[in-house]
Amino acid sequence: MMPLAAWLAGYIRDVPDHPYPGVLFKDYASLLADPRAFTALVDALADVCRRREATMVVGLEARGFLLGAPVAVRSGLGLAVIRKGGKLPGKTFRRVYELEYGKDEFELQCDALGPKDRVVVVDDVLATGGTALAAASLVAEAGADVVGVAFMLELVALSGRRRLARDLDGVPVDAVINA
């Protein structure tokens, strides 16, 4: 039987120069379209949440929502969402962060998490780590503990794991697939 990571990696295709020249986009639409593959991915990420004894999942806009919501359901946990700037009502914490090809802004509602929450941040791809660091910073500002960050896919050559290990003080980093 093929290992899970290798099987799931077979569903991901490379799209050169998307969304910008020089970027190699990892298209995983066919993975989401296959119920067996999608379920296996969600189960693997939910297992991370159980191992980390999480009480909440945080999903990141936009593609992290595709994974964060089913992972929260499968884990029996609540879901808090981190959205792009200006999209959440009420009082929010804000963080500007660096992308591989620019800057963006995240927000988290101030009452979305509390000091008793143990959070696993779930996103689709770990590239340079800037998105995950911004999310972890917002979770900490809300008073919760980040007990893990989990990804469908890690782009190993971009060294995001090394950056997260350095800047998140040993918070475990999990990726189902490495490329």
Side-chain angles (χ1 to χ4, degrees):
M1 183 173 163
M2 184 181 296
L4 177 65
W7 176 58
L8 294 177
Y11 286 90
I12 299 172
R13 71 180 176 112
D14 291 343
V15 180
D17 299 320
H18 180 79
Y20 304 103
V23 174
L24 183 63
F25 184 80
K26 299 294 187 175
D27 181 14
Y28 56 88
S30 63
L31 190 155
L32 299 176
D34 184 300
R36 285 182 37 232
F38 192 22
T39 298
L41 174 62
V42 169
D43 286 345
L45 292 169
D47 185 53
V48 170
C49 293
R50 286 188 285 277
R51 286 195 325 265
R52 307 288 175 234
E53 299 179 357
T55 62
M56 290 289 287
V57 170
V58 166
L60 311 183
E61 185 171 348
R63 295 181 302 169
F65 291 172
L66 297 171
L67 301 175
V71 167
V73 169
R74 179 70 83 192
S75 304
L77 302 174
L79 175 71
V81 296
I82 291 180
R83 299 214 51 199
K84 302 291 172 98
K87 293 187 177 182
L88 290 172
K91 189 174 177 188
T92 62
F93 299 114
R94 293 176 179 251
R95 198 69 74 246
V96 174
Y97 63 98
E98 299 276 334
L99 294 164
E100 298 80 51
Y101 38 81
K103 290 185 180 186
D104 213 335
E105 181 181 53
F106 268 157
E107 291 183 331
L108 173 68
Q109 288 174 313
C110 291
D111 60 356
L113 299 168
K116 293 182 181 179
D117 287 316
R118 296 174 47 84
V119 173
V120 170
V121 175
V122 174
D123 203 6
D124 62 339
V125 177
L126 170 56
T128 63
T131 303
L133 286 173
S137 174
L138 288 169
V139 169
E141 189 171 354
D145 290 324
V146 177
V147 296
V149 288
F151 304 90
M152 172 192 66
L153 175 68
E154 177 182 356
L155 304 176
V156 177
L158 296 180
S159 302
R161 180 182 293 266
R162 190 173 318 132
R163 182 178 181 193
L164 294 179
R166 180 190 69 223
D167 294 349
L168 291 180
D169 295 325
V171 170
V173 177
D174 293 279
V176 178
I177 306 164
N178 292 309

